[in-house]
Amino acid sequence: QVQLVESGGGFVQTGGTLRLSCVASGRTFSSHVMGWFRQAPGKEREFVGSISWGGSTTRYADSVEGRFTISRDNAKNAVYLQMNSLKSEDTAVYYCAATRNPYIATMPPDLLSWGPGTQVTVSS
């Protein structure tokens, strides 16, 4: 497993931008598929997007497609979530996750490595 720590959350106005970062410990980062999930108050945790081992393939939830971009820098053991055109419904705790399995979006949560999360609040 890898240890993950997110950063970059905060308060932003509707239409604004934020960039989240997630840094991993260990030497196996490049062998992990990385994902971003989020959980809003009173709702279940949901998949936001993922990026393959080398960064060539990304997938997004329909709700963020075209607004959010995931990237990674394996030399820095880091993955990023660029969030543009933020909406109030994007308000949530955002979590970084890692797995060696390519199907990160549908894996049982207890099989993933998780960070502690970072709060994103979008307000008008």
Side-chain angles (χ1 to χ4, degrees), residues 26-40:
R27 301 178 181 178
T28 62
F29 178 76
S30 61
S31 65
H32 285 75
V33 173
M34 301 300 297
W36 286 95
F37 293 75
R38 67 187 182 186
Q39 187 167 19

Side-chain angles (χ1 to χ4, degrees), residues 2-6 22-25 29 34-35 77 79 95-99 112-117:
V2 293
Q3 307 298 317
L4 306 171
V5 178
E6 304 94 338
C22 172
V23 177
S25 64
F29 178 76
M34 301 300 297
N77 276 16
V79 62
Y95 298 91
C96 176
T99 177
L112 305 181
S113 296
W114 295 95

Side-chain angles (χ1 to χ4, degrees), residues 42-121:
K43 296 186 177 181
E44 294 185 352
R45 191 174 300 187
E46 65 174 356
F47 172 76
V48 173
S50 64
I51 187 166
S52 59
W53 302 274
S56 61
T57 302
T58 54
R59 293 186 172 87
Y60 300 95
D62 290 343
S63 58
V64 307
E65 181 78 53
R67 300 188 297 121
F68 290 10
T69 303
I70 296 176
S71 60
R72 68 188 294 164
D73 185 339
N74 286 344
K76 296 182 178 180
N77 276 16
V79 62
Y80 307 99
L81 180 65
Q82 178 67 43
M83 303 186 294
N84 298 332
S85 302
L86 283 162
K87 305 175 181 179
S88 58
E89 51 262 45
D90 295 319
T91 295
V93 177
Y94 283 71
Y95 298 91
C96 176
T99 177
R100 296 177 184 268
N101 190 304
Y103 304 107
I104 190 170
T106 56
M107 287 185 64
D110 58 347
L111 297 184
L112 305 181
S113 296
W114 295 95
T118 186
Q119 176 71 47
V120 171
T121 303

Side-chain angles (χ1 to χ4, degrees), residues 13-29:
Q13 289 188 328
T14 301
T17 65
L18 276 177
R19 187 189 192 216
L20 305 184
S21 300
C22 172
V23 177
S25 64
R27 301 178 181 178
T28 62
F29 178 76

